[in-house]
């Protein structure tokens, strides 16, 4: 059984509403994956549009905060707790010119994950994070054009594995973090980057 709820994660009341609807339908929340995110055209810092910077922060960072706030609030009422996975990025680990808003938001998600984990891990709620590298998505295709790269293989060249990742590989990692097999993994950041940060 599935439930679709359209929501803008930068709007706290809409996040609160989809949490409420989920609990109303299923009675609880066992796992949450905070995967909503946006990018904006590259620009050097002195030419970065402030409205676009704020939009990135509102979606990529505040959206994760709002979900953490309301999902954790629900999970604290559940004797069995739950599992939360946030999505950061290799862009939150290393500085890349032209994407200050995106990098700042993802670096903040890494820190927020550790903070949340330290608060609730003793209440049977595990909070972890993933940091994907070049994953074949619409966002990567936009980045290719924005950075003037000839094709997606240009991203693959930056990974030790010499290939881009797939959304299925990301999904499997998230499922593992939400599973009993990862029961002692708390406050971690799992790189899913094909060795991108090794280079």
């Amino acid at each position: 059984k599935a439930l679709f709820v359209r929501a803008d994660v930068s709007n706290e009341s809409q996040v609160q509403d989809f949490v409420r609807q989920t609990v109303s339908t299923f009675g609880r929340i066992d796992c949450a994956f905070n995967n909503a995110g946006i990018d904006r055209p590259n620009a050097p810092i002195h030419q970065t549009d402030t409205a676009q910077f704020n939009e990135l922060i509102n979606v990529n960072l505040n959206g994760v905060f709002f979900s953490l706030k309301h999902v954790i609030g629900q999970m604290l009422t559940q004797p069995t707790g739950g599992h939360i996975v946030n999505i950061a990025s290799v862009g939150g680990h290393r500085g890349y010119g032209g994407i200050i808003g995106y990098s700042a938001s993802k670096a903040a998600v890494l820190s927020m994950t550790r903070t949340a984990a330290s608060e609730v891990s003793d209440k049977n709620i595990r909070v972890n994070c993933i940091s994907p590298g070049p994953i074949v998505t619409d966002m990567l295709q936009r980045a290719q054009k924005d950075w003037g790269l000839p094709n997606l293989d240009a991203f693959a060249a930056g990974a030790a594995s010499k290939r881009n990742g797939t959304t299925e590989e990301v999904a499997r990692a998230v499922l593992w973090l939400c599973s009993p097999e990862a029961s002692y993994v708390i406050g971690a950041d799992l790189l899913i980057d094909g060795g991108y940060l090794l280079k």
Side-chain angles (χ1 to χ4, degrees), residues 106-137:
K106 295 303 185 177
V109 167
L110 292 168
S111 180
M112 197 156 52
T113 298
R114 292 188 290 268
T115 299
S118 71
E119 285 187 10
V120 298
S121 60
D122 63 341
K123 302 188 174 56
N124 206 25
I125 301 173
R126 292 193 298 106
V127 184
N128 290 291
C129 187
I130 61 169
S131 286
I135 307 297
V136 180
T137 61

Side-chain angles (χ1 to χ4, degrees), residues 25-62:
T25 301
F26 299 103
R28 57 187 294 109
I29 297 178
D30 295 303
C31 303
F33 178 30
N34 294 317
N35 187 41
I38 61 171
D39 60 351
R40 288 296 176 261
N42 290 10
I45 294 172
H46 68 286
Q47 294 176 348
T48 295
D49 182 85
T50 301
Q52 290 187 351
F53 178 90
N54 288 334
E55 189 178 13
L56 281 163
I57 297 300
N58 285 335
V59 175
N60 295 0
L61 179 58
N62 292 347

